[in-house]
């Protein structure tokens, strides 16, 4: 529903269970990967079980876009053991007050709070809070 609200046509969306990832021949055919919320521990365990990081590394290296919401965002941090560690921070989502907008100092382990109207953008090795 959230994706359709952005104007993307439903026929251009393919819903894939994480267990199907290893069967995808060319993940680079997709314009974006959207990972929704839910149980973060379950999501991270499924990502690990299905070697999702290997596929995501290739996808991102080739210019792919990853959109994570709630658990889908936390999974890319190092908030707890097993997370994919694309960004060296502990991430707290759905907060009333978010962290200051701007660059995240990646030279030290930080804790980032995001409201439902904020996001972290990672590009060219830098991360920033946006929104």
């Amino acid at each position: 529903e959230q994706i359709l609200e952005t104007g993307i046509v439903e026929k251009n969306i393919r819903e894939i269970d994480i267990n199907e990832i290893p069967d995808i021949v060319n993940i680079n055919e997709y314009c974006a990967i959207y990972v929704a919320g839910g149980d973060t521990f379950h999501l991270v365990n499924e990502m690990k079980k299905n070697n999702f990081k290997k596929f995501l590394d290739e996808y991102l290296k080739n210019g792919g876009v990853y959109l994570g919401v709630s658990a889908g965002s936390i999974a890319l941090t190092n908030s707890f053991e097993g997370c994919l560690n694309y960004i060296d921070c502990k991430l707290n989502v759905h907060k009333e007050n978010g962290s200051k907008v701007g660059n995240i100092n990646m030279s030290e382990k930080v804790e980032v709070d995001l409201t439902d109207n904020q996001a972290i953008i990672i590009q060219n090795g830098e991360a920033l809070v946006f929104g």
Side-chain angles (χ1 to χ4, degrees):
E1 188 175 302
Q2 291 173 326
I3 296 172
L4 294 174
E5 289 174 3
T6 68
I8 295 174
V9 180
E10 189 169 0
K11 70 178 183 169
N12 292 333
I13 299 171
R14 178 175 175 204
E15 186 174 340
I16 299 172
D17 186 276
I18 195 160
N19 297 316
E20 297 175 57
I21 293 289
D23 298 327
I24 295 175
V25 175
N26 188 1
I27 197 166
N28 296 310
E29 293 176 351
Y30 296 92
C31 297
I33 295 174
Y34 175 89
V35 179
D39 181 331
T40 309
F41 293 100
H42 176 73
L43 175 62
V44 168
N45 285 332
E46 289 297 309
M47 286 177 163
K48 184 175 182 178
K49 183 172 90 177
N50 290 285
N51 206 9
F52 182 70
K53 186 168 183 355
K54 173 187 155 199
F55 292 94
L56 189 57
D57 284 347
E58 175 189 341
Y59 179 72
L60 295 173
K61 182 179 84 182
N62 290 307
V65 174
Y66 177 96
L67 305 165
V69 174
S70 193
S73 297
I74 295 170
L76 266 62
T77 67
N78 68 359
S79 292
F80 59 88
E81 175 92 22
C83 287
L84 302 184
N85 201 24
Y86 282 95
I87 179 170
D88 190 18
C89 75
K90 179 178 188 287
L91 180 60
N92 305 302
V93 295
H94 308 299
K95 303 301 277 185
E96 187 174 322
N97 297 306
S99 294
K100 181 180 161 190
V101 172
N103 287 336
I104 299 171
N105 182 354
M106 298 304 295
S107 65
E108 57 187 55
K109 180 155 168 85
V110 296
E111 189 164 334
V112 177
D113 294 333
L114 295 181
T115 69
D116 289 344
N117 295 315
Q118 288 181 303
I120 293 178
I121 298 174
I122 304 170
Q123 190 172 24
N124 301 324
E126 294 187 9
L128 64 97
V129 174
F130 179 81

